[in-house]
Amino acid sequence: MDIAVSRSLHHFRTEVGTRFQLYNSLFTSLPFHKMEKTGILLSLFSSICEEGYGKAQSPIDIINDFFNKHTSLTTEKEKLDLLFRFTQYVERQVVLFDALEDAAYKNTHDLSGAGTLKQVMSDVLQNSNEESLAEILKTFCVRLVLTAHPTQFYPGSVLGIIHDLSSALIKNDSIEINTYLQQLGKTPFLNKKKPTPYDEAISLVWFLENVFYTAAGRIVNELKSQFPEAVTDQNPVLQMGFWPGGDRDGNPFVKCDTTLKVADALRGAILKCYYLDIRRLKRRLTFPGVEEPIAALELKLYDNVFVPGFKINITTHEIKETLVSVKAILEEKHNSLFTSQVQSLINKIDLFGLYFASLDIRQESTIHQKLFETVADKSNGIIPGNYKELSEPEKIKALLQISGVVDAGIFEDEVAADTAQIPMAVKTIQEYNGEAGCNRYIISQCNSTLNIIEVFALFKMQGFANEDINVDIVPLFETIDDLGNAGEIMKTLYSIPAYKEHLKRRRNTQTIMLGFSDGTKDGGYLMANWSIYRAKEELTRITRYYGFEVIFFDGRGGPPSRGGGKTHKFYASMGNNISNREIQLTIQGQTISSNFGIIDSAQYNLEQLLNAGITNNIHVDRHVPLTGKQEELLQELSSYGFDEYKKLKEHPLLASYLYEISPLRFYSETNIGSRPAKRGKTQGGISLKDLRAIPFAGAWSQLKQNVPGFFGVGSALKKMEYIGRFDDVKKLYDESLFFKTLMDNCEMAMSKSYFPLTAYMAKDETYGELWNMIYEEYQLTYEYIVKLSGNDELMGNYPVDKLSISMRERIVLPLLTIQQYAMSKIRALEASGEDADGIKDTYGKLVMRCSFGIINAGRNSA
């Protein structure tokens, strides 16, 4: 263990581990509810859970023993009341742990070490690569896209407490800490109703205003101060994207009025940030010649932000022009006093414009298909009436020849009518917020060239001339088959003259989104990751052949099973055969609050991504592409993993296992997201095909089995050993950062698994075979992963992360136990058909409440 890691581990143990024990003791002694001893009983219950699983007891046995031996409670109502209070305490313990980790962040992470901006700048200066850096930064940037996916359980009020509690912990102010712990105990964690898409947007705007505005500004300030000519206002090195209010895929509650309202909120939020910075500047700029223009700008921003119904057509050019003029006067007449603060604000304006974060539109391909079939039936010849019967090339030709405007009133279906109005909503946003405010349309479940041309035609159908379509059309390839077919789809697309002209107007660049979540659900961990890697290689080659550049937008979730984990290492591992002109990825759920929840962590993680991209572009020979033999090896390994995963996916009881044993069926009742848990309208039960990837991964996570993050890996490695190729795999692990990161993330998913929780299912008449199938694969993967890594245990190379996971899992063990206890009770009631007193619903609420703390403690849902 190197010195830096050892130091970080020491800080974590003392500043997080020891302080958690101290403040947790204080917290659990606070008399919040009817019973002052709840916190003390919780500590006892936690110990009994650990001992019980060590004795192979089931959750029902553990809880029954606890009530019989350690309480005088007799009625079911009294027992449930205590279990509910336990969940409330554990939820708040998780918040305390989050706050402690945030407070210790500077000491548990090397903010100037490997992977940071300081390392990049030092490398550039030492090797005299200033010109190379300037050339790279003409086009390269990192784009983080905040999504509305429902994996975040903290309401805004709790996020605020975490922020304030972290600040108090940094200051070690015991009075403030005690006050915030009391506030935490009395603050509800529950949303009484589902949030609207607009509610989701406003909750994420909080992060833009309070975290990203400052963190991104700091990074650009550092770069510009060191390399003033490298960063230009034509290409900001950091960009923010935004999905809430624009993402319609599977969410019928997102409409054009929502999209416009969210765009307006984003504009208002960034103007408010500028206004507050101008106010701070005004306190400093009290000199002749600069005081007046700053005061006038402050007033104009105030009116635009705070006066109801008052909207001035203010522009970024106007704001910048004032600031540039003020800076020049300071330099000329006032000894350059406070010019750095003025330049800092100018840099932020270059970053965020009037839009703050670019609002993406996303819709599913089948919606467009139905829309144009309706147009063919009702639009009097705008497209042929026999459109449905045409071949794909004939449909493409018909769509490209559209002229005239289709009235949205012809659509009886609300979703189709709304989709038809999207182009005009985009145009409105671009007029107010600038083109960057909304200039991408993402097509989910894209599986043909026609799906892409349908979006092009959607704009033509609203009267847009080809040259007026100021939008990047972004296909999203997700399933294993779609990833395999992506190259042929794009070849056909690049051969269409009208689309080629469109790309020339869009900087000769095609953005392609690749989705990890559905890929992993469809093909398993190894095959999904390898299929995406291969698709990137092929799409890079094809796009460059046709004279264009491709930008990959990765739909990454929080857990490794959905593309998360050590994300920056994946980007650092890309060879020059894969386009790395930009790094674009989604940030979802509690990954936002865990990796980007405070300014320090946001800056650190942004820098890690910037470092990966810039270093790859400067040192093009540092990460050479995988050799042909290495690719063959990965293909073979992935195929073996896929074969094993298919056996699980095709098991006839898999869907019912998730529905019965996991809290999946209660997911939609948590009121954390506006989006339904499944795409289809399947009545009763659940279909794996219709089930969205997020609840799929979340269900495995709460079972503590994390199947999408490891299943098939052990079988694949064992097969390689059997055919005498394990040494080749070991060599690949030592030489390929891509493969090593893949295995590192698999270890993370496995570290958050805990099979003693559900071991009682091993002998279950219905699901015993399935449980054993999963557990055996886990054991096999554990055996071969440690053999591959050379460590004695999982995550041996990441001791701080390992300790954090271990402590978090220990905190939520009571919740896991209570949740499985409640699920067992529900199954028993359903089997007996008896529920005279309606207690089944109460158990269901208990299951749902446990989900909050379990998922928040996981921080990236795996």
Side-chain angles (χ1 to χ4, degrees):
M1 188 184 303
D2 66 37
I3 295 173
V5 173
S6 179
R7 187 184 300 118
S8 294
L9 187 59
H10 170 74
H11 282 299
F12 192 93
R13 284 174 175 151
T14 56
E15 296 178 34
V16 181
T18 302
R19 293 180 87 195
F20 177 75
Q21 298 302 325
L22 172 66
Y23 290 116
N24 183 51
S25 299
L26 170 64
F27 177 70
T28 51
S29 65
L30 294 172
F32 291 125
H33 302 286
K34 302 174 186 175
M35 193 167 160
E36 293 187 17
K37 293 182 180 178
T38 301
I40 297 167
L41 281 173
L42 174 60
S43 298
L44 174 63
F45 178 61
S46 181
S47 298
I48 288 170
C49 288
E50 290 181 14
E51 292 170 9
Y53 291 122
K55 299 173 185 175
Q57 287 185 295
S58 72
I60 283 198
D61 292 336
I62 289 169
I63 288 182
N64 285 342
D65 281 355
F66 169 74
F67 281 128
N68 292 336
K69 295 177 182 178
H70 301 283
T71 76
S72 57
L73 304 177
T74 55
T75 70
E76 198 72 6
K77 183 181 181 306
E78 288 175 325
K79 293 175 182 178
L80 280 168
D81 188 43
L82 180 60
L83 294 179
F84 271 109
R85 291 207 300 277
F86 280 173
T87 66
Q88 291 173 323
Y89 267 77
V90 174
E91 283 171 357
R92 287 152 177 82
Q93 286 178 322
V94 172
V95 169
L96 173 60
F97 197 85
D98 285 348
L100 282 162
E101 276 203 327
D102 287 348
Y105 198 88
K106 284 184 176 181
N107 292 326
T108 57
H109 294 76
D110 187 355
L111 303 186
S112 301
T116 63
L117 190 61
K118 284 185 174 61
Q119 187 199 41
V120 169
M121 295 193 297
S122 174
D123 181 61
V124 168
L125 291 170
Q126 285 179 13
N127 295 286
S128 301
N129 279 327
E130 290 90 339
E131 288 186 12
S132 298
L133 178 66
E135 189 62 30
I136 290 164
L137 294 184
K138 285 180 181 178
T139 55
F140 177 77
C141 78
V142 169
R143 182 181 184 129
L144 293 187
V145 181
L146 307 183
T147 78
H149 292 325
T151 56
Q152 172 57 262
F153 283 81
Y154 289 141
S157 56
V158 175
L159 286 172
I161 295 172
I162 294 175
H163 180 273
D164 295 340
L165 183 55
S166 295
S167 299
L169 288 163
I170 291 170
K171 294 183 293 183
N172 208 22
D173 187 325
S174 58
I175 296 175
E176 271 193 26
I177 292 167
N178 186 54
T179 302
Y180 293 141
L181 288 176
Q182 291 189 57
Q183 181 188 3
L184 189 63
K186 293 180 176 293
T187 300
F189 274 48
L190 231 94
N191 291 319
K192 293 181 181 177
K193 59 181 182 179
K194 273 186 174 293
T196 66
Y198 182 73
D199 294 334
E200 290 173 331
I202 295 305
S203 70
L204 289 187
V205 167
W206 186 92
F207 289 98
L208 289 173
E209 290 179 315
N210 292 281
V211 178
F212 288 104
Y213 181 74
T214 301
R218 280 182 184 175
I219 290 171
V220 174
N221 287 343
E222 282 191 51
L223 267 175
K224 275 206 166 186
S225 64
Q226 187 66 61
F227 308 107
E229 305 303 320
V231 183
T232 67
D233 55 3
Q234 283 76 38
N235 181 59
V237 295
L238 296 170
Q239 296 179 16
M240 297 303 301
F242 207 74
W243 274 17
D247 181 11
R248 289 155 168 76
D249 176 28
N251 193 339
F253 307 113
V254 178
K255 301 289 176 61
C256 280
D257 61 341
T258 313
T259 304
L260 292 168
K261 192 176 175 185
V262 169
D264 195 51
L266 287 166
R267 184 177 190 272
I270 191 59
L271 287 175
K272 184 170 73 173
C273 289
Y274 295 157
Y275 166 75
L276 292 173
D277 269 357
I278 288 290
R279 281 194 67 186
R280 284 186 280 269
L281 269 176
K282 187 183 172 188
R283 290 171 64 92
R284 306 278 79 84
L285 303 184
T286 53
F287 322 131
V290 294
E291 190 174 16
E292 298 81 1
I294 286 292
L297 183 56
E298 179 201 23
L299 180 60
K300 198 164 190 179
L301 285 168
Y302 178 89
D303 288 342
N304 202 62
V305 174
F306 297 110
V307 178
F310 190 87
K311 200 162 194 175
I312 299 173
N313 190 21
I314 196 167
T315 65
T316 51
H317 176 74
E318 180 182 352
I319 301 171
K320 274 189 68 176
E321 193 175 50
T322 302
L323 292 171
V324 169
S325 171
V326 164
K327 186 185 173 195
I329 294 169
L330 290 173
E331 289 172 339
E332 182 182 345
K333 298 182 177 180
H334 301 292
N335 302 321
S336 295
L337 272 173
F338 307 117
T339 53
S340 60
Q341 288 94 320
V342 176
Q343 183 61 51
S344 175
L345 181 51
I346 292 172
N347 294 343
K348 289 173 183 172
I349 293 165
D350 289 338
L351 279 179
F352 301 115
L354 288 183
Y355 58 92
F356 217 156
S358 187
L359 185 59
D360 286 345
I361 304 295
R362 186 170 75 138
Q363 184 56 283
E364 186 191 348
S365 62
T366 56
I367 302 298
H368 304 133
Q369 175 190 330
K370 292 173 186 175
L371 182 148
F372 282 107
E373 288 173 357
T374 302
V375 171
D377 290 339
K378 298 186 177 182
S379 65
N380 299 322
I382 283 184
I383 57 176
N386 66 337
Y387 179 80
K388 281 186 187 179
E389 286 73 48
L390 298 179
S391 65
E392 179 170 320
E394 289 170 333
K395 286 180 178 178
I396 289 173
K397 183 178 179 181
L399 292 178
L400 290 172
Q401 291 175 347
I402 285 178
S403 62
V405 177
V406 174
D407 183 357
I410 69 170
F411 301 103
E412 295 177 6
D413 179 72
E414 284 187 17
V415 174
D418 174 77
T419 303
Q421 296 173 64
I422 289 173
M424 297 312 296
V426 170
K427 184 178 180 181
T428 300
I429 294 168
Q430 291 186 351
E431 287 172 354
Y432 279 104
N433 294 9
E435 186 197 303
C438 185
N439 64 357
R440 302 206 304 186
Y441 195 122
I442 299 158
I443 311 153
S444 58
Q445 300 198 48
C446 181
N447 49 47
S448 70
T449 305
L450 175 61
N451 291 159
I452 302 166
I453 294 301
E454 283 168 340
V455 174
F456 190 76
L458 184 66
F459 283 80
K460 290 176 65 66
M461 192 180 77
Q462 290 302 316
F464 285 68
N466 287 4
E467 59 271 17
D468 294 330
I469 302 175
N470 299 318
V471 171
D472 294 326
I473 301 172
V474 183
L476 167 53
F477 301 113
E478 300 174 270
T479 66
I480 302 302
D481 286 344
D482 289 346
L483 288 164
N485 296 331
E488 289 303 315
I489 290 171
M490 298 310 293
K491 273 186 188 178
T492 305
L493 184 69
Y494 294 147
S495 301
I496 297 172
Y499 195 79
K500 286 171 72 174
E501 290 302 312
H502 173 69
L503 286 185
K504 288 177 183 177
R505 292 188 294 271
R506 303 303 298 167
R507 307 173 310 283
N508 286 305
T509 301
Q510 172 67 54
T511 302
I512 298 175
M513 187 173 181
L514 302 171
F516 281 75
S517 302
D518 283 285
T520 310
K521 176 184 160 223
D522 182 44
Y525 182 69
L526 285 173
M527 183 55 79
N529 279 278
W530 176 235
S531 295
I532 288 169
Y533 186 95
R534 277 190 311 170
K536 284 187 173 183
E537 279 189 316
E538 185 182 18
L539 291 167
T540 299
R541 178 181 57 79
I542 289 169
T543 307
R544 288 173 177 170
Y545 174 82
Y546 280 89
F548 303 112
E549 187 61 46
V550 64
I551 292 173
F552 292 115
F553 175 25
D554 291 323
R556 294 180 178 271
S561 63
R562 295 182 45 238
K566 303 295 180 183
T567 304
H568 62 281
K569 290 196 173 183
F570 273 119
Y571 291 112
S573 72
M574 298 294 105
N576 55 19
N577 60 326
I578 291 177
S579 174
N580 56 5
R581 180 168 163 179
E582 293 187 15
I583 290 177
Q584 298 191 5
L585 67 155
T586 55
I587 305 294
Q588 342 181 328
Q590 59 275 59
T591 304
I592 299 173
S593 57
S594 61
N595 288 356
F596 301 92
I598 59 174
I599 293 167
D600 287 332
S601 65
Q603 183 173 343
Y604 179 78
N605 284 293
L606 281 168
E607 287 185 14
Q608 293 282 313
L609 293 168
L610 272 171
N611 183 301
I614 292 172
T615 302
N616 272 7
N617 278 284
I618 289 179
H619 303 287
V620 291
D621 299 325
R622 181 172 292 180
H623 296 295
V624 296
L626 294 168
T627 66
K629 287 186 177 180
Q630 287 175 326
E631 292 204 348
E632 288 173 12
L633 190 66
L634 276 165
Q635 176 62 49
E636 189 174 0
L637 190 68
S638 299
S639 297
Y640 294 143
F642 183 49
D643 290 343
E644 195 64 27
Y645 181 75
K646 273 200 304 184
K647 294 176 190 175
L648 177 70
K649 193 175 76 165
E650 292 169 2
H651 195 290
L653 294 177
L654 183 62
S656 59
Y657 176 78
L658 282 175
Y659 188 76
E660 295 287 336
I661 310 302
S662 84
L664 178 63
R665 62 169 116 169
F666 301 98
Y667 200 87
S668 60
E669 297 173 28
T670 54
N671 290 335
I672 57 163
S674 65
R675 186 189 308 274
K678 53 184 179 180
R679 282 193 171 95
K681 297 181 179 178
T682 312
Q683 297 298 317
I686 197 77
S687 159
L688 277 182
K689 182 178 182 298
D690 291 332
L691 181 62
R692 300 189 70 93
I694 292 169
F696 178 76
W700 290 116
S701 172
Q702 291 188 59
L703 276 176
K704 289 299 161 187
Q705 293 177 5
N706 283 327
V707 158
F710 75 83
F711 200 92
V713 174
S715 291
L717 291 172
K718 182 180 180 181
K719 179 73 172 180
M720 297 304 280
E721 184 180 58
Y722 177 76
I723 62 176
R725 300 200 66 191
F726 191 79
D727 285 345
D728 294 336
V729 177
K730 183 74 169 70
K731 188 169 183 286
L732 180 67
Y733 179 85
D734 293 335
E735 294 178 354
S736 167
L737 182 59
F738 168 75
F739 183 59
K740 186 178 186 307
T741 303
L742 199 62
M743 294 298 99
D744 285 350
N745 283 350
C746 177
E747 290 188 50
M748 182 188 293
M750 294 177 69
S751 294
K752 296 181 182 181
S753 299
Y754 185 68
F755 280 87
L757 175 72
T758 50
Y760 69 95
M761 296 299 303
K763 297 179 182 177
D764 186 83
E765 289 183 8
T766 305
Y767 298 117
E769 177 195 356
L770 187 55
W771 187 91
N772 282 293
M773 180 181 180
I774 295 166
Y775 181 50
E776 286 165 11
E777 183 63 25
Y778 172 85
Q779 288 181 305
L780 191 64
T781 304
Y782 190 106
E783 176 188 345
Y784 278 91
I785 281 279
V786 296
K787 186 183 290 189
L788 189 65
S789 69
N791 294 320
D792 296 329
E793 55 187 5
L794 297 175
M795 295 190 71
N797 296 326
Y798 302 97
V800 176
D801 292 346
K802 179 180 175 61
L803 181 57
S804 174
I805 290 170
S806 173
M807 292 187 69
R808 287 174 174 277
E809 294 299 308
R810 190 165 186 268
I811 291 169
V812 295
L813 188 60
L815 291 191
L816 294 165
T817 306
I818 293 168
Q819 188 178 70
Q820 276 300 306
Y821 169 83
M823 291 293 301
S824 297
K825 289 285 191 178
I826 289 168
R827 289 195 299 276
L829 287 167
E830 289 174 342
S832 69
E834 297 177 4
D835 186 27
D837 53 2
I839 201 166
K840 180 183 153 188
D841 285 344
T842 306
Y843 280 120
K845 288 184 175 65
L846 187 57
V847 170
M848 179 191 70
R849 286 303 304 273
C850 288
S851 293
F852 291 12
I854 294 168
I855 290 188
N856 283 332
R859 279 221 155 181
N860 63 12
S861 288

